[in-house]
Amino acid sequence: KQEVTQIPAALSVPEGENLVLNCSFTDSAIYNLQWFRQDPGKGLTSLLLIQSSQREQTSGRLNASLDKSSGRSTLYIAASQPGDSATYLCAVILENQGAQKLVFGQGTRLTINP
Amino acid sequence: NAGVTQTPKFHILKIGQSMTLQCTQDMNHNYMYWYRQDPGMGLKLIYYSVGAGITDKGEVPNGYNVSRSTTEDFPLRLELAAPSQTSVYFCASSQTGGWNGYTFGSGTRLTVV
């Protein structure tokens, strides 16, 4: 059974710092991996999608990497801002009988202090 | 383009009552999913559908039912609500079953008392 773990569970850093969020998964046979952002009481916003054949994706100050062989992904946030405060969820996509399904980690709750 | 729309946003249900959570998408996606999120936890898959008329169970289907009569709609039915079903429910859709990622609705916060 695929399990996804995110470390740390919570992180608090001062504004302007660069930071890394970690995601690990137990089965490397994934279809792709997606990082989401969730604001309190809100839905999920897709940040980056890394397909299984790719090693990284970038969007603005965000960079996500994927190492399937070691079962790891990282989300790098450069020059953090208070507006980056949210919960970040990592999800791997498994192929199952023609319907890919997401398996989520528990998330990292990020607080950026002004 | 509205994306994935869920109604209601909030609801309080009494134990033993039933209700339907609505989910509609206007992107002509074949794949649709229902997840639940408990406090401090990741999302768990309840049911999914690969197209109109086709549904299947996910990880935590007990106490729920779904139907998919059209491409656009994927309602989730709670029968005989229990306190353990207090959660936030998210509907999601995908065009290619995940290759291009997923789009999520804003969620329904359900409390069973």
Side-chain angles (χ1 to χ4, degrees):
Chain A
K1 178 183 175 183
Q2 178 73 267
E3 293 185 357
V4 180
T5 303
Q6 292 187 246
I7 296 173
L11 180 64
S12 180
V13 301
E15 181 178 2
E17 282 202 3
N18 303 324
L19 58 98
V20 175
L21 306 182
N22 296 295
C23 172
S24 62
F25 45 94
T26 54
D27 187 344
S28 62
I30 64 171
Y31 195 58
N32 54 29
L33 182 146
Q34 194 164 0
W35 282 93
F36 294 90
R37 169 187 173 135
Q38 185 176 28
D39 293 288
K42 303 293 185 181
L44 278 68
T45 301
S46 178
L47 296 174
L48 289 165
L49 172 70
I50 309 177
Q51 294 169 350
S52 59
S53 58
Q54 299 173 323
R55 294 191 65 84
E56 66 177 328
Q57 281 286 333
T58 298
S59 176
R61 295 182 293 107
L62 304 180
N63 176 275
S65 68
L66 173 63
D67 184 344
K68 282 181 58 178
S69 62
S70 66
R72 294 177 186 273
S73 176
T74 61
L75 179 66
Y76 175 81
I77 302 177
S80 59
Q81 303 171 359
D84 294 330
S85 297
T87 296
Y88 290 79
L89 294 164
C90 161
V92 298
I93 298 171
L94 309 177
E95 184 169 0
N96 180 53
Q97 299 176 347
Q100 284 75 27
K101 300 184 295 183
L102 286 163
V103 178
F104 282 86
Q106 298 95 324
T108 294
R109 188 173 66 254
L110 176 65
T111 303
I112 307 298
N113 301 303
Chain B
N1 200 349
V4 178
T5 302
Q6 292 184 238
T7 57
K9 293 189 183 302
F10 304 93
H11 194 79
I12 297 174
L13 198 60
K14 292 185 178 179
I15 295 171
Q17 289 184 329
S18 301
M19 78 166 294
T20 299
L21 308 186
Q22 302 292 341
C23 176
T24 298
Q25 53 93 7
D26 62 358
M27 299 171 285
N28 202 33
H29 287 176
N30 284 324
Y31 299 82
M32 296 188 74
Y33 307 80
W34 274 105
Y35 289 87
R36 62 176 285 173
Q37 184 179 36
D38 298 319
M41 305 293 288
L43 282 72
K44 293 186 184 294
L45 181 65
I46 306 171
Y47 271 95
Y48 65 96
S49 169
V50 302
I54 306 171
T55 63
D56 207 347
K57 296 178 181 178
E59 187 179 2
V60 289
N62 292 342
Y64 307 95
N65 277 299
V66 294
S67 60
R68 185 93 183 272
S69 57
T70 67
T71 299
E72 295 78 18
D73 300 309
F74 190 40
L76 178 71
R77 178 82 176 164
L78 281 73
E79 303 282 1
L80 299 175
S84 61
Q85 293 178 302
T86 294
S87 190
V88 181
Y89 292 84
F90 289 100
C91 179
S93 72
S94 174
Q95 182 180 24
T96 54
W99 183 246
N100 290 320
Y102 295 77
T103 301
F104 277 78
S106 57
T108 294
R109 188 175 298 273
L110 179 68
T111 302
V112 181
V113 296

CSV table of all heavy atoms in Angstrom, one decimal, chain A residues 2-48:
chain,number,residue,atom,x,y,z
A,2,GLN,N,0.6,2.2,-0.9
A,2,GLN,CA,1.4,3.4,-1.0
A,2,GLN,C,1.1,4.3,0.2
A,2,GLN,O,-0.1,4.5,0.6
A,2,GLN,CB,1.0,4.1,-2.3
A,2,GLN,CG,1.7,5.5,-2.5
A,2,GLN,CD,3.1,5.3,-2.9
A,2,GLN,OE1,4.0,5.4,-2.0
A,2,GLN,NE2,3.4,5.2,-4.2
A,3,GLU,N,2.2,4.7,0.8
A,3,GLU,CA,2.1,5.7,1.9
A,3,GLU,C,2.9,6.9,1.6
A,3,GLU,O,4.0,6.8,1.1
A,3,GLU,CB,2.5,5.0,3.2
A,3,GLU,CG,1.6,3.9,3.7
A,3,GLU,CD,2.0,3.4,5.1
A,3,GLU,OE1,3.1,3.8,5.6
A,3,GLU,OE2,1.3,2.5,5.6
A,4,VAL,N,2.3,8.0,1.9
A,4,VAL,CA,3.0,9.3,1.7
A,4,VAL,C,3.2,10.1,3.0
A,4,VAL,O,2.2,10.2,3.8
A,4,VAL,CB,2.1,10.2,0.7
A,4,VAL,CG1,2.9,11.5,0.4
A,4,VAL,CG2,1.9,9.4,-0.6
A,5,THR,N,4.4,10.5,3.2
A,5,THR,CA,4.8,11.1,4.5
A,5,THR,C,5.4,12.5,4.2
A,5,THR,O,6.2,12.6,3.3
A,5,THR,CB,5.8,10.3,5.3
A,5,THR,OG1,5.3,9.0,5.5
A,5,THR,CG2,6.1,10.9,6.6
A,6,GLN,N,4.9,13.5,4.9
A,6,GLN,CA,5.5,14.8,4.8
A,6,GLN,C,6.1,15.3,6.1
A,6,GLN,O,5.6,15.2,7.2
A,6,GLN,CB,4.4,15.8,4.4
A,6,GLN,CG,3.8,15.6,3.0
A,6,GLN,CD,2.9,16.7,2.6
A,6,GLN,OE1,1.7,16.4,2.4
A,6,GLN,NE2,3.4,17.9,2.4
A,7,ILE,N,7.3,15.8,5.9
A,7,ILE,CA,8.1,16.3,7.1
A,7,ILE,C,8.7,17.6,6.7
A,7,ILE,O,9.2,17.8,5.6
A,7,ILE,CB,9.3,15.3,7.4
A,7,ILE,CG1,8.7,13.9,7.8
A,7,ILE,CG2,10.2,15.9,8.4
A,7,ILE,CD1,9.8,12.9,8.0
A,8,PRO,N,8.6,18.6,7.7
A,8,PRO,CA,8.0,18.5,9.0
A,8,PRO,C,6.5,18.7,8.9
A,8,PRO,O,5.9,19.1,7.9
A,8,PRO,CB,8.6,19.6,9.7
A,8,PRO,CG,8.8,20.7,8.7
A,8,PRO,CD,9.2,19.9,7.4
A,9,ALA,N,5.8,18.4,10.0
A,9,ALA,CA,4.3,18.6,10.1
A,9,ALA,C,4.0,20.1,10.1
A,9,ALA,O,3.0,20.5,9.7
A,9,ALA,CB,3.8,17.8,11.3
A,10,ALA,N,4.9,20.8,10.8
A,10,ALA,CA,4.7,22.3,10.9
A,10,ALA,C,6.1,23.0,10.8
A,10,ALA,O,7.1,22.4,11.3
A,10,ALA,CB,4.0,22.6,12.2
A,11,LEU,N,6.1,24.2,10.2
A,11,LEU,CA,7.3,24.9,10.1
A,11,LEU,C,7.0,26.4,10.2
A,11,LEU,O,6.0,26.9,9.6
A,11,LEU,CB,7.9,24.6,8.7
A,11,LEU,CG,9.2,25.2,8.3
A,11,LEU,CD1,10.3,24.8,9.2
A,11,LEU,CD2,9.6,24.9,6.9
A,12,SER,N,7.8,27.1,11.0
A,12,SER,CA,7.6,28.5,11.1
A,12,SER,C,9.0,29.2,10.9
A,12,SER,O,10.0,28.8,11.5
A,12,SER,CB,7.1,28.8,12.6
A,12,SER,OG,7.0,30.2,12.7
A,13,VAL,N,9.0,30.1,9.9
A,13,VAL,CA,10.3,30.8,9.6
A,13,VAL,C,10.0,32.3,9.4
A,13,VAL,O,8.9,32.7,9.1
A,13,VAL,CB,10.8,30.2,8.3
A,13,VAL,CG1,11.1,28.7,8.4
A,13,VAL,CG2,10.0,30.4,7.1
A,14,PRO,N,11.1,33.1,9.5
A,14,PRO,CA,10.9,34.5,9.3
A,14,PRO,C,10.8,34.8,7.8
A,14,PRO,O,11.4,34.1,6.9
A,14,PRO,CB,12.2,35.1,9.9
A,14,PRO,CG,13.2,34.0,10.0
A,14,PRO,CD,12.4,32.7,10.1
A,15,GLU,N,10.2,35.9,7.5
A,15,GLU,CA,10.0,36.3,6.1
A,15,GLU,C,11.4,36.5,5.4
A,15,GLU,O,12.3,36.9,6.0
A,15,GLU,CB,9.3,37.7,6.1
A,15,GLU,CG,9.0,38.3,4.7
A,15,GLU,CD,8.2,39.6,4.8
A,15,GLU,OE1,8.0,40.0,5.9
A,15,GLU,OE2,7.9,40.1,3.7
A,16,GLY,N,11.4,36.1,4.2
A,16,GLY,CA,12.6,36.3,3.4
A,16,GLY,C,13.5,35.0,3.3
A,16,GLY,O,14.3,34.9,2.4
A,17,GLU,N,13.3,34.1,4.1
A,17,GLU,CA,14.1,32.8,4.1
A,17,GLU,C,13.7,31.9,3.0
A,17,GLU,O,12.5,31.9,2.6
A,17,GLU,CB,13.9,32.1,5.4
A,17,GLU,CG,14.8,32.7,6.6
A,17,GLU,CD,15.0,31.6,7.6
A,17,GLU,OE1,14.6,30.5,7.5
A,17,GLU,OE2,15.6,32.0,8.7
A,18,ASN,N,14.6,31.2,2.5
A,18,ASN,CA,14.4,30.1,1.6
A,18,ASN,C,14.1,28.8,2.4
A,18,ASN,O,14.7,28.6,3.4
A,18,ASN,CB,15.6,29.8,0.7
A,18,ASN,CG,16.0,31.1,-0.1
A,18,ASN,OD1,15.1,31.9,-0.5
A,18,ASN,ND2,17.3,31.3,-0.3
A,19,LEU,N,13.2,28.0,1.9
A,19,LEU,CA,12.8,26.8,2.7
A,19,LEU,C,12.5,25.6,1.8
A,19,LEU,O,12.2,25.8,0.6
A,19,LEU,CB,11.7,27.1,3.7
A,19,LEU,CG,10.4,27.6,3.0
A,19,LEU,CD1,9.4,26.5,2.9
A,19,LEU,CD2,9.7,28.7,3.8
A,20,VAL,N,12.6,24.5,2.4
A,20,VAL,CA,12.3,23.2,1.7
A,20,VAL,C,11.3,22.4,2.5
A,20,VAL,O,11.4,22.2,3.7
A,20,VAL,CB,13.6,22.4,1.5
A,20,VAL,CG1,13.3,21.0,0.9
A,20,VAL,CG2,14.6,23.2,0.7
A,21,LEU,N,10.3,21.9,1.8
A,21,LEU,CA,9.3,21.0,2.3
A,21,LEU,C,9.6,19.6,1.7
A,21,LEU,O,9.8,19.5,0.5
A,21,LEU,CB,7.9,21.5,2.0
A,21,LEU,CG,7.6,22.9,2.4
A,21,LEU,CD1,6.1,23.2,2.1
A,21,LEU,CD2,7.8,23.1,3.9
A,22,ASN,N,9.5,18.6,2.5
A,22,ASN,CA,9.8,17.2,2.1
A,22,ASN,C,8.6,16.3,2.0
A,22,ASN,O,7.7,16.4,2.8
A,22,ASN,CB,10.8,16.6,3.1
A,22,ASN,CG,12.1,17.3,3.1
A,22,ASN,OD1,12.8,17.4,2.1
A,22,ASN,ND2,12.4,18.0,4.2
A,23,CYS,N,8.6,15.5,1.0
A,23,CYS,CA,7.6,14.5,0.8
A,23,CYS,C,8.3,13.2,0.4
A,23,CYS,O,9.1,13.1,-0.5
A,23,CYS,CB,6.7,14.9,-0.3
A,23,CYS,SG,5.4,13.7,-0.9
A,24,SER,N,7.9,12.1,1.1
A,24,SER,CA,8.4,10.8,0.7
A,24,SER,C,7.3,9.8,0.5
A,24,SER,O,6.2,9.9,1.1
A,24,SER,CB,9.4,10.2,1.8
A,24,SER,OG,8.7,10.1,3.0
A,25,PHE,N,7.5,8.8,-0.4
A,25,PHE,CA,6.5,7.8,-0.7
A,25,PHE,C,7.1,6.5,-0.8
A,25,PHE,O,8.3,6.3,-1.1
A,25,PHE,CB,5.7,8.2,-2.0
A,25,PHE,CG,6.6,8.6,-3.1
A,25,PHE,CD1,7.1,7.7,-4.1
A,25,PHE,CD2,7.0,9.9,-3.3
A,25,PHE,CE1,7.9,8.1,-5.1
A,25,PHE,CE2,7.8,10.3,-4.3
A,25,PHE,CZ,8.3,9.4,-5.3
A,26,THR,N,6.3,5.4,-0.4
A,26,THR,CA,6.9,4.1,-0.2
A,26,THR,C,7.0,3.3,-1.5
A,26,THR,O,7.9,2.4,-1.6
A,26,THR,CB,6.1,3.3,0.8
A,26,THR,OG1,4.7,3.3,0.4
A,26,THR,CG2,6.2,4.0,2.2
A,27,ASP,N,6.2,3.6,-2.5
A,27,ASP,CA,6.2,2.8,-3.8
A,27,ASP,C,6.6,3.7,-4.9
A,27,ASP,O,5.9,4.7,-5.2
A,27,ASP,CB,4.8,2.2,-4.0
A,27,ASP,CG,4.8,1.3,-5.2
A,27,ASP,OD1,5.7,1.3,-6.0
A,27,ASP,OD2,3.8,0.5,-5.3
A,28,SER,N,7.7,3.4,-5.5
A,28,SER,CA,8.2,4.3,-6.6
A,28,SER,C,7.4,4.2,-7.9
A,28,SER,O,7.7,5.0,-8.8
A,28,SER,CB,9.7,4.0,-6.8
A,28,SER,OG,9.9,2.7,-7.3
A,29,ALA,N,6.5,3.3,-8.0
A,29,ALA,CA,5.8,3.1,-9.2
A,29,ALA,C,4.6,4.1,-9.3
A,29,ALA,O,3.4,3.7,-9.3
A,29,ALA,CB,5.3,1.7,-9.4
A,30,ILE,N,4.9,5.4,-9.4
A,30,ILE,CA,3.9,6.4,-9.4
A,30,ILE,C,3.7,6.9,-10.8
A,30,ILE,O,4.6,6.8,-11.6
A,30,ILE,CB,4.2,7.6,-8.4
A,30,ILE,CG1,5.5,8.3,-8.9
A,30,ILE,CG2,4.4,7.1,-7.0
A,30,ILE,CD1,5.8,9.6,-8.2
A,31,TYR,N,2.5,7.5,-11.0
A,31,TYR,CA,2.2,8.0,-12.4
A,31,TYR,C,2.7,9.4,-12.5
A,31,TYR,O,3.3,9.8,-13.4
A,31,TYR,CB,0.7,8.0,-12.5
A,31,TYR,CG,0.1,8.2,-13.9
A,31,TYR,CD1,0.5,7.3,-14.9
A,31,TYR,CD2,-0.8,9.2,-14.1
A,31,TYR,CE1,0.0,7.5,-16.2
A,31,TYR,CE2,-1.3,9.4,-15.4
A,31,TYR,CZ,-0.9,8.5,-16.4
A,31,TYR,OH,-1.4,8.7,-17.7
A,32,ASN,N,2.4,10.2,-11.5
A,32,ASN,CA,3.1,11.5,-11.3
A,32,ASN,C,2.8,12.0,-9.9
A,32,ASN,O,2.2,11.3,-9.0
A,32,ASN,CB,2.6,12.5,-12.3
A,32,ASN,CG,1.1,12.7,-12.4
A,32,ASN,OD1,0.4,12.5,-11.4
A,32,ASN,ND2,0.6,13.0,-13.6
A,33,LEU,N,3.3,13.2,-9.6
A,33,LEU,CA,3.2,13.8,-8.2
A,33,LEU,C,2.7,15.2,-8.3
A,33,LEU,O,3.2,16.0,-9.2
A,33,LEU,CB,4.5,13.7,-7.5
A,33,LEU,CG,4.6,14.2,-6.0
A,33,LEU,CD1,5.6,13.3,-5.3
A,33,LEU,CD2,5.0,15.6,-5.9
A,34,GLN,N,1.9,15.6,-7.4
A,34,GLN,CA,1.3,17.0,-7.4
A,34,GLN,C,1.4,17.6,-6.1
A,34,GLN,O,1.2,17.0,-5.0
A,34,GLN,CB,-0.2,16.9,-7.9
A,34,GLN,CG,-0.8,18.3,-8.3
A,34,GLN,CD,-2.1,18.1,-9.1
A,34,GLN,OE1,-2.5,17.0,-9.3
A,34,GLN,NE2,-2.6,19.2,-9.5
A,35,TRP,N,1.8,18.9,-6.0
A,35,TRP,CA,1.9,19.7,-4.8
A,35,TRP,C,0.7,20.6,-4.8
A,35,TRP,O,0.4,21.3,-5.9
A,35,TRP,CB,3.2,20.5,-4.7
A,35,TRP,CG,4.4,19.7,-4.3
A,35,TRP,CD1,5.3,19.1,-5.1
A,35,TRP,CD2,4.8,19.5,-3.0
A,35,TRP,NE1,6.2,18.4,-4.3
A,35,TRP,CE2,5.9,18.7,-3.0
A,35,TRP,CE3,4.3,19.8,-1.7
A,35,TRP,CZ2,6.6,18.3,-1.9
A,35,TRP,CZ3,5.0,19.4,-0.6
A,35,TRP,CH2,6.1,18.7,-0.6
A,36,PHE,N,0.0,20.7,-3.7
A,36,PHE,CA,-1.1,21.6,-3.5
A,36,PHE,C,-0.9,22.5,-2.3
A,36,PHE,O,-0.1,22.2,-1.4
A,36,PHE,CB,-2.4,20.8,-3.2
A,36,PHE,CG,-2.9,19.9,-4.3
A,36,PHE,CD1,-2.4,18.6,-4.4
A,36,PHE,CD2,-3.8,20.3,-5.2
A,36,PHE,CE1,-2.9,17.7,-5.3
A,36,PHE,CE2,-4.3,19.5,-6.2
A,36,PHE,CZ,-3.8,18.2,-6.3
A,37,ARG,N,-1.6,23.6,-2.4
A,37,ARG,CA,-1.7,24.6,-1.3
A,37,ARG,C,-3.1,24.6,-0.8
A,37,ARG,O,-4.0,24.6,-1.5
A,37,ARG,CB,-1.2,26.0,-1.7
A,37,ARG,CG,-1.5,27.1,-0.8
A,37,ARG,CD,-1.2,28.4,-1.3
A,37,ARG,NE,-1.6,29.4,-0.4
A,37,ARG,CZ,-0.9,30.5,-0.1
A,37,ARG,NH1,0.3,30.7,-0.7
A,37,ARG,NH2,-1.4,31.4,0.8
A,38,GLN,N,-3.2,24.6,0.6
A,38,GLN,CA,-4.6,24.7,1.2
A,38,GLN,C,-4.6,25.8,2.2
A,38,GLN,O,-3.8,25.7,3.2
A,38,GLN,CB,-5.0,23.4,1.8
A,38,GLN,CG,-6.4,23.4,2.3
A,38,GLN,CD,-6.9,22.1,2.8
A,38,GLN,OE1,-6.1,21.3,3.3
A,38,GLN,NE2,-8.2,21.9,2.8
A,39,ASP,N,-5.4,26.9,2.0
A,39,ASP,CA,-5.5,27.9,3.0
A,39,ASP,C,-6.6,27.5,4.0
A,39,ASP,O,-7.5,26.7,3.6
A,39,ASP,CB,-5.9,29.2,2.3
A,39,ASP,CG,-4.7,29.7,1.5
A,39,ASP,OD1,-3.7,30.2,2.1
A,39,ASP,OD2,-4.8,29.7,0.2
A,40,PRO,N,-6.6,28.0,5.2
A,40,PRO,CA,-7.5,27.6,6.3
A,40,PRO,C,-9.0,27.7,5.8
A,40,PRO,O,-9.4,28.8,5.3
A,40,PRO,CB,-7.2,28.5,7.4
A,40,PRO,CG,-5.8,28.9,7.2
A,40,PRO,CD,-5.6,29.0,5.8
A,41,GLY,N,-9.7,26.6,5.9
A,41,GLY,CA,-11.1,26.6,5.5
A,41,GLY,C,-11.4,26.7,4.0
A,41,GLY,O,-12.5,26.9,3.6
A,42,LYS,N,-10.4,26.5,3.2
A,42,LYS,CA,-10.5,26.6,1.8
A,42,LYS,C,-10.2,25.3,1.1
A,42,LYS,O,-9.8,24.3,1.7
A,42,LYS,CB,-9.5,27.7,1.3
A,42,LYS,CG,-9.7,29.1,1.9
A,42,LYS,CD,-11.0,29.7,1.5
A,42,LYS,CE,-11.1,31.1,2.0
A,42,LYS,NZ,-12.4,31.8,1.7
A,43,GLY,N,-10.4,25.3,-0.2
A,43,GLY,CA,-10.1,24.1,-1.0
A,43,GLY,C,-8.6,24.0,-1.3
A,43,GLY,O,-7.8,24.8,-0.8
A,44,LEU,N,-8.3,23.1,-2.2
A,44,LEU,CA,-6.9,22.9,-2.6
A,44,LEU,C,-6.6,23.6,-3.9
A,44,LEU,O,-7.4,23.6,-4.9
A,44,LEU,CB,-6.7,21.4,-2.9
A,44,LEU,CG,-6.4,20.5,-1.6
A,44,LEU,CD1,-7.6,20.4,-0.7
A,44,LEU,CD2,-5.9,19.2,-2.0
A,45,THR,N,-5.5,24.3,-3.9
A,45,THR,CA,-5.0,24.9,-5.1
A,45,THR,C,-3.8,24.2,-5.6
A,45,THR,O,-2.8,24.0,-4.9
A,45,THR,CB,-4.6,26.4,-4.8
A,45,THR,OG1,-5.8,27.1,-4.3
A,45,THR,CG2,-4.1,27.1,-6.1
A,46,SER,N,-3.8,23.8,-6.9
A,46,SER,CA,-2.6,23.1,-7.5
A,46,SER,C,-1.5,24.1,-7.7
A,46,SER,O,-1.6,25.2,-8.2
A,46,SER,CB,-3.0,22.5,-8.8
A,46,SER,OG,-1.9,21.8,-9.4
A,47,LEU,N,-0.3,23.7,-7.2
A,47,LEU,CA,0.9,24.5,-7.3
A,47,LEU,C,1.8,24.0,-8.5
A,47,LEU,O,2.1,24.7,-9.4
A,47,LEU,CB,1.7,24.4,-6.0
A,47,LEU,CG,1.0,25.1,-4.8
A,47,LEU,CD1,1.9,24.8,-3.6
A,47,LEU,CD2,0.8,26.5,-5.0
A,48,LEU,N,2.1,22.7,-8.4
A,48,LEU,CA,3.0,22.1,-9.4
A,48,LEU,C,2.7,20.7,-9.6
A,48,LEU,O,2.3,20.0,-8.7
A,48,LEU,CB,4.5,22.2,-8.9
A,48,LEU,CG,5.1,23.6,-8.9
A,48,LEU,CD1,6.4,23.7,-8.1
A,48,LEU,CD2,5.4,24.1,-10.4
